[in-house]
Amino acid sequence: MIRLAIQSKGRLNEDSLQLLHDAGISVDDAKRKFLGKAADFPLEVLYLRDDDIPGVVADGASDIGIVGLNEVEETGAAVKVIRKLGFGNCRISLAVPKTADYTGPEWFNGKSIATSYPNILRRYLADNKIDATIREIKGSVEIAPAAGIADAIFDIVSSGGTLISNGLSEVEKVFWSEAVLIARPGLTAEKEALLKSILFRIDAVEESRGKKYILMNLPNDRIEDAIALLPAMRSPTIMPLAAEGWSSLHSVIDGGSLWQTVEALKGIGAEGILVLNLDKVID
Ligand code: PRT
Ligand code: ZN
């Protein structure tokens, strides 16, 4: 049995549960529960506030966890970051009132900065030799300048909409974050093996993201041209059709280049092109 801590509610909860689901691990979305158990994998889920996850994993009360890298950095907990998970992307930035006469980081000398991330901010200020006062507040950091609590803020930004609607402008992007899978050092062999199995599944989900399965019919004399257009995982699958001189070709392509590839394939005489979503890619 391995124990995983995830956010009980909030921005990372849904994506964390979705990732487990895609990895074939079903846990109930028990918002009011503290501890749940997967039906089809030896895994327990501990539902926590995100701030508590790094510490609980470092202490060993949970073996692994899914949390924002910002929380790992802020708490300084002794955990290993095992995988970046590609969701919950954001940055922590310094922002000042848009009317401020901002000249560069030295502007912050002698100023006060409101934040929920005092440790990351303290490190940034020290690295840049800035002498500013840190005002730690837990929520609604973005209203601090208008409320006269601080001259500037250091807070999470994703779209930037919150800053704009509070009359602030983002002036220094300091720390980039996304959800990560963390583990405590020194797992038992049994737990290491379970973690390996979870990683294998997560990697397969990740690998399939944005990829498409494509199949088409082609005249046999254009197969070489088609292979050149299709960098498959190893090489495309080619099967003869009942119609003389024609084959069916199957491959996996990147979603990003889908339309260019389809145009090029039509250009060399491909017909009956089908594009399907991929569920998992297992190398
Ligand atoms: O209750 P609990 O303590 O578990 O949750 P929380 O309220 O502390 O955290 P939550 O759920 O808001 O965020 C969890 C994690 O999501 C954070 O630690 C980040 O790793 C990640 N994340 C990603 C974000 C955002 N994007 C985000 N936009 N966390 C917060 N925000 C907030 C930000 O604080 C600001 O108020 O959204 C606002 C800015 O958004 P934009 O899009 O207007 O720029
Ligand atoms: Zn929190």
Side-chain angles (χ1 to χ4, degrees):
M1 186 70 73
I2 191 164
R3 189 181 279 183
L4 166 76
I6 65 169
Q7 198 187 18
S8 55
K9 52 183 173 15
R11 286 166 201 268
L12 303 182
N13 169 267
E14 228 171 80
D15 286 336
S16 303
L17 289 168
Q18 184 65 43
L19 179 67
L20 290 176
H21 171 85
D22 293 345
I25 300 173
S26 9
V27 295
D28 24 293
D29 176 12
K31 293 221 163 54
R32 271 167 293 277
K33 246 204 223 161
F34 182 59
L35 190 65
K37 200 178 164 318
D40 38 16
F41 196 89
L43 176 117
E44 283 177 329
V45 182
L46 195 55
Y47 299 89
L48 295 176
R49 288 201 56 180
D50 67 343
D51 319 53
D52 296 332
I53 293 175
V56 161
V57 172
D59 292 350
S62 187
D63 303 303
I64 54 178
I66 295 176
V67 70
L69 186 61
N70 51 313
E71 294 296 336
V72 178
E73 182 77 7
E74 178 62 23
T75 56
V79 296
K80 290 191 286 186
V81 174
I82 307 281
R83 281 289 187 288
K84 293 188 169 181
L85 298 173
F87 59 86
N89 296 67
C90 59
R91 54 195 184 268
I92 312 184
S93 296
L94 280 159
V96 302
K98 64 174 193 280
T99 49
D101 181 14
Y102 188 76
T103 45
E106 66 284 354
W107 182 91
F108 291 100
N109 275 311
K111 301 283 200 305
S112 58
I113 309 168
T115 188
S116 309
Y117 294 92
N119 294 325
I120 299 176
L121 177 58
R122 195 169 298 116
R123 233 164 287 144
Y124 171 83
L125 296 176
D127 288 349
N128 289 277
K129 304 192 169 45
I130 297 163
D131 183 17
T133 305
I134 298 174
R135 293 214 199 294
E136 184 176 352
I137 53 175
K138 286 290 173 207
S140 309
V141 171
E142 65 280 357
I143 63 161
I149 297 168
D151 299 308
I153 68 164
F154 179 64
D155 198 14
I156 293 185
V157 181
S158 133
S159 67
T162 302
L163 294 183
I164 292 172
S165 58
N166 285 281
L168 298 167
S169 45
E170 183 178 14
V171 291
E172 305 294 337
K173 296 173 184 168
V174 172
F175 185 82
W176 273 259
S177 181
E178 67 185 271
V180 291
L181 182 72
I182 56 172
R184 79 183 157 87
L187 290 177
T188 60
E190 181 222 345
K191 291 183 185 208
E192 273 295 347
L194 291 173
L195 174 58
K196 215 169 147 199
S197 159
I198 294 169
L199 288 174
F200 176 75
R201 295 172 181 214
I202 289 179
D203 290 345
V205 172
E206 186 61 35
E207 185 68 12
S208 69
R209 232 171 243 159
K211 294 230 168 78
K212 302 282 177 192
Y213 192 82
I214 186 166
L215 39 151
M216 73 213 73
N217 298 332
L218 266 178
N220 287 344
D221 60 356
R222 304 315 296 266
I223 289 174
E224 289 304 317
D225 299 331
I227 290 174
L229 293 170
L230 292 166
M233 284 186 287
R234 189 151 297 171
S235 66
T237 306
I238 297 155
M239 285 179 282
L241 289 184
E244 185 76 22
W246 282 74
S247 292
S248 165
L249 187 151
H250 300 203
S251 191
V252 173
I253 63 169
D254 257 353
S257 56
L258 176 70
W259 292 109
Q260 288 113 285
T261 309
V262 166
E263 296 286 325
L265 289 167
K266 281 172 65 110
I268 62 164
E271 291 180 4
I273 301 174
L274 297 182
V275 178
L276 310 175
N277 285 328
L278 266 180
D279 196 27
K280 308 274 185 303
V281 174
I282 298 167
D283 278 331

Coordinates of all heavy atoms in Angstrom, one line a residue, residues 173-213:
K173 N 9.0 38.6 -13.0 CA 8.5 37.2 -12.9 C 9.6 36.4 -12.2 O 10.7 36.4 -12.7 CB 8.3 36.6 -14.3 CG 7.1 37.3 -15.0 CD 7.0 36.9 -16.4 CE 5.9 37.8 -17.0 NZ 5.8 37.6 -18.5
V174 N 9.3 35.9 -11.0 CA 10.4 35.4 -10.2 C 10.5 33.8 -10.2 O 11.6 33.3 -10.2 CB 10.3 35.9 -8.7 CG1 11.2 35.3 -7.8 CG2 10.5 37.4 -8.7
F175 N 9.3 33.2 -10.1 CA 9.4 31.7 -9.9 C 8.3 31.1 -10.7 O 7.2 31.5 -10.7 CB 9.2 31.4 -8.4 CG 9.3 30.0 -8.1 CD1 10.5 29.4 -7.9 CD2 8.2 29.1 -8.0 CE1 10.7 28.0 -7.6 CE2 8.3 27.8 -7.7 CZ 9.6 27.2 -7.5
W176 N 8.7 30.0 -11.5 CA 7.7 29.3 -12.4 C 7.3 28.0 -11.7 O 8.1 27.3 -11.1 CB 8.3 29.0 -13.7 CG 8.2 30.2 -14.7 CD1 7.2 30.2 -15.7 CD2 8.9 31.4 -14.7 NE1 7.3 31.4 -16.3 CE2 8.3 32.2 -15.8 CE3 9.9 31.9 -14.0 CZ2 8.8 33.4 -16.1 CZ3 10.4 33.2 -14.3 CH2 9.8 33.9 -15.4
S177 N 6.0 27.8 -11.7 CA 5.5 26.6 -11.0 C 4.5 25.8 -11.9 O 3.9 26.3 -12.8 CB 4.8 27.1 -9.7 OG 4.3 25.9 -9.0
E178 N 4.4 24.5 -11.5 CA 3.3 23.7 -12.0 C 3.2 22.6 -11.0 O 4.0 22.5 -10.1 CB 3.7 23.1 -13.4 CG 4.8 22.1 -13.4 CD 5.2 21.7 -14.9 OE1 4.6 20.7 -15.3 OE2 6.0 22.3 -15.5
A179 N 2.1 21.8 -11.2 CA 1.9 20.7 -10.2 C 3.0 19.6 -10.4 O 3.4 19.4 -11.6 CB 0.5 20.0 -10.5
V180 N 3.5 19.1 -9.3 CA 4.5 18.1 -9.4 C 4.2 16.9 -8.5 O 3.4 17.1 -7.5 CB 5.9 18.7 -9.0 CG1 6.5 19.7 -10.0 CG2 5.9 19.3 -7.6
L181 N 4.7 15.7 -8.8 CA 4.6 14.6 -8.0 C 5.8 14.6 -7.1 O 7.0 14.6 -7.6 CB 4.5 13.3 -8.8 CG 4.4 12.0 -8.0 CD1 3.0 11.9 -7.5 CD2 4.6 10.8 -8.9
I182 N 5.6 14.5 -5.8 CA 6.7 14.5 -4.9 C 6.7 13.2 -4.1 O 5.7 12.5 -3.9 CB 6.7 15.7 -3.9 CG1 5.4 15.7 -3.1 CG2 6.9 17.0 -4.6 CD1 5.4 16.8 -2.0
A183 N 7.9 12.8 -3.6 CA 8.0 11.6 -2.7 C 9.0 11.9 -1.6 O 9.8 12.7 -1.7 CB 8.5 10.4 -3.6
R184 N 8.8 11.1 -0.5 CA 9.7 11.3 0.6 C 10.9 10.4 0.3 O 10.8 9.3 -0.4 CB 9.1 11.0 1.9 CG 9.0 9.5 2.2 CD 8.2 9.4 3.6 NE 7.6 8.1 3.6 CZ 8.3 7.0 4.1 NH1 9.5 7.1 4.5 NH2 7.6 5.8 4.2
P185 N 12.1 10.8 0.7 CA 13.3 9.9 0.4 C 13.2 8.7 1.3 O 12.5 8.7 2.4 CB 14.4 10.8 0.9 CG 13.9 12.1 1.2 CD 12.4 12.0 1.4
G186 N 13.7 7.6 0.8 CA 13.8 6.4 1.7 C 12.5 5.6 1.7 O 12.2 5.1 2.8
L187 N 11.8 5.4 0.6 CA 10.6 4.6 0.6 C 11.1 3.1 0.7 O 12.2 2.8 0.2 CB 9.9 4.8 -0.7 CG 9.2 6.1 -1.0 CD1 8.5 6.1 -2.3 CD2 8.1 6.3 0.1
T188 N 10.2 2.3 1.2 CA 10.5 0.9 1.3 C 10.5 0.3 -0.1 O 9.9 0.9 -1.0 CB 9.5 0.1 2.1 OG1 8.2 0.3 1.5 CG2 9.4 0.6 3.5
A189 N 11.1 -0.9 -0.3 CA 11.2 -1.5 -1.6 C 9.7 -1.7 -2.2 O 9.5 -1.5 -3.4 CB 11.9 -2.8 -1.5
E190 N 8.8 -2.1 -1.3 CA 7.4 -2.3 -1.7 C 6.8 -1.0 -2.3 O 6.2 -1.0 -3.3 CB 6.6 -2.9 -0.5 CG 5.1 -3.2 -0.9 CD 4.2 -2.7 0.2 OE1 4.6 -2.4 1.3 OE2 3.0 -2.6 -0.1
K191 N 7.0 0.1 -1.5 CA 6.5 1.3 -2.0 C 7.2 1.9 -3.2 O 6.5 2.5 -4.1 CB 6.6 2.4 -0.8 CG 5.6 1.9 0.3 CD 5.5 2.9 1.4 CE 4.6 2.3 2.5 NZ 3.9 3.1 3.3
E192 N 8.5 1.7 -3.3 CA 9.2 2.0 -4.5 C 8.6 1.4 -5.7 O 8.5 2.0 -6.8 CB 10.7 1.6 -4.4 CG 11.6 2.6 -3.7 CD 11.8 4.0 -4.5 OE1 11.4 4.1 -5.6 OE2 12.3 4.9 -3.8
A193 N 8.3 0.1 -5.6 CA 7.7 -0.7 -6.7 C 6.4 -0.1 -7.1 O 6.1 0.0 -8.3 CB 7.6 -2.2 -6.3
L194 N 5.6 0.2 -6.1 CA 4.2 0.8 -6.4 C 4.4 2.2 -7.1 O 3.7 2.5 -8.0 CB 3.4 0.9 -5.1 CG 3.0 -0.4 -4.5 CD1 2.3 -0.2 -3.2 CD2 2.0 -1.1 -5.5
L195 N 5.4 3.0 -6.6 CA 5.6 4.3 -7.2 C 6.0 4.1 -8.7 O 5.6 4.8 -9.5 CB 6.7 5.0 -6.4 CG 7.2 6.4 -7.0 CD1 6.0 7.3 -7.2 CD2 8.3 7.0 -6.1
K196 N 6.9 3.1 -8.9 CA 7.4 2.9 -10.3 C 6.2 2.5 -11.2 O 6.1 3.0 -12.3 CB 8.3 1.7 -10.2 CG 9.4 1.8 -11.2 CD 10.5 0.8 -11.0 CE 11.1 0.4 -12.3 NZ 11.8 -0.9 -12.3
S197 N 5.2 1.7 -10.6 CA 4.1 1.4 -11.4 C 3.2 2.6 -11.7 O 2.7 2.7 -12.8 CB 3.3 0.3 -10.7 OG 2.0 0.2 -11.1
I198 N 3.1 3.5 -10.7 CA 2.3 4.7 -10.9 C 3.0 5.6 -12.0 O 2.3 6.1 -12.9 CB 2.1 5.5 -9.6 CG1 1.2 4.7 -8.6 CG2 1.5 6.8 -9.8 CD1 1.2 5.2 -7.2
L199 N 4.3 5.7 -11.9 CA 5.0 6.5 -12.8 C 4.9 6.0 -14.3 O 4.8 6.7 -15.2 CB 6.5 6.6 -12.5 CG 6.8 7.4 -11.2 CD1 8.3 7.3 -10.9 CD2 6.5 8.9 -11.5
F200 N 4.9 4.7 -14.4 CA 4.8 4.0 -15.7 C 3.5 4.4 -16.3 O 3.4 4.8 -17.5 CB 4.9 2.5 -15.5 CG 4.6 1.7 -16.8 CD1 5.6 1.7 -17.8 CD2 3.4 1.1 -17.0 CE1 5.4 0.9 -18.9 CE2 3.2 0.4 -18.1 CZ 4.2 0.3 -19.1
R201 N 2.4 4.4 -15.5 CA 1.1 4.8 -16.0 C 1.0 6.3 -16.3 O 0.5 6.7 -17.3 CB 0.0 4.4 -15.0 CG -0.1 2.9 -14.8 CD -1.0 2.6 -13.6 NE -1.2 1.2 -13.4 CZ -2.3 0.6 -13.0 NH1 -3.4 1.3 -12.8 NH2 -2.3 -0.7 -12.8
I202 N 1.6 7.1 -15.4 CA 1.5 8.6 -15.6 C 2.3 8.9 -16.9 O 1.8 9.8 -17.7 CB 2.2 9.3 -14.4 CG1 1.2 9.2 -13.2 CG2 2.4 10.8 -14.8 CD1 1.8 9.9 -12.0
D203 N 3.4 8.3 -17.1 CA 4.2 8.6 -18.3 C 3.5 8.2 -19.6 O 3.6 8.9 -20.6 CB 5.6 7.8 -18.3 CG 6.5 8.4 -17.2 OD1 6.2 9.6 -16.7 OD2 7.5 7.8 -16.8
A204 N 2.7 7.1 -19.5 CA 1.9 6.7 -20.7 C 0.8 7.7 -21.0 O 0.5 8.0 -22.2 CB 1.3 5.3 -20.5
V205 N 0.2 8.2 -20.0 CA -0.8 9.3 -20.1 C -0.2 10.5 -20.8 O -0.7 11.1 -21.7 CB -1.5 9.6 -18.8 CG1 -2.4 10.8 -18.9 CG2 -2.2 8.4 -18.2
E206 N 0.9 10.9 -20.2 CA 1.7 12.1 -20.6 C 2.1 12.0 -22.1 O 1.9 12.9 -22.9 CB 2.9 12.2 -19.7 CG 3.7 13.5 -19.9 CD 2.9 14.7 -19.7 OE1 2.1 14.7 -18.8 OE2 3.2 15.7 -20.4
E207 N 2.6 10.8 -22.4 CA 3.1 10.5 -23.8 C 2.0 10.6 -24.8 O 2.2 11.0 -25.9 CB 3.7 9.1 -23.7 CG 4.4 8.6 -25.0 CD 5.7 9.3 -25.3 OE1 6.2 10.1 -24.4 OE2 6.2 9.1 -26.4
S208 N 0.7 10.3 -24.4 CA -0.4 10.3 -25.4 C -0.9 11.7 -25.6 O -1.7 11.9 -26.5 CB -1.5 9.3 -24.9 OG -2.1 9.9 -23.7
R209 N -0.6 12.6 -24.6 CA -1.2 13.9 -24.7 C -0.8 14.6 -26.0 O 0.3 14.7 -26.3 CB -0.7 14.7 -23.5 CG -1.9 15.3 -22.7 CD -1.4 16.0 -21.5 NE -2.1 15.3 -20.3 CZ -1.6 15.3 -19.1 NH1 -0.6 16.0 -18.8 NH2 -2.3 14.7 -18.2
G210 N -1.8 15.1 -26.7 CA -1.6 15.9 -27.9 C -1.3 15.0 -29.1 O -1.0 15.5 -30.2
K211 N -1.2 13.7 -28.9 CA -0.9 12.8 -30.0 C -2.2 12.3 -30.7 O -3.2 12.1 -30.0 CB 0.0 11.7 -29.6 CG 1.4 12.1 -29.1 CD 2.4 11.3 -29.7 CE 3.8 11.8 -29.5 NZ 4.3 11.5 -28.2
K212 N -2.1 12.0 -32.0 CA -3.2 11.4 -32.7 C -2.8 10.2 -33.4 O -1.7 10.0 -33.8 CB -3.7 12.5 -33.7 CG -4.1 13.8 -33.2 CD -5.5 13.8 -32.5 CE -5.8 15.1 -31.9 NZ -7.0 15.0 -31.0
Y213 N -3.8 9.3 -33.6 CA -3.6 8.1 -34.4 C -4.2 8.4 -35.8 O -5.3 8.9 -35.9 CB -4.3 6.9 -33.7 CG -3.9 5.6 -34.3 CD1 -2.8 4.9 -33.9 CD2 -4.7 5.0 -35.3 CE1 -2.4 3.7 -34.4 CE2 -4.4 3.7 -35.8 CZ -3.2 3.1 -35.3 OH -2.9 1.9 -35.9

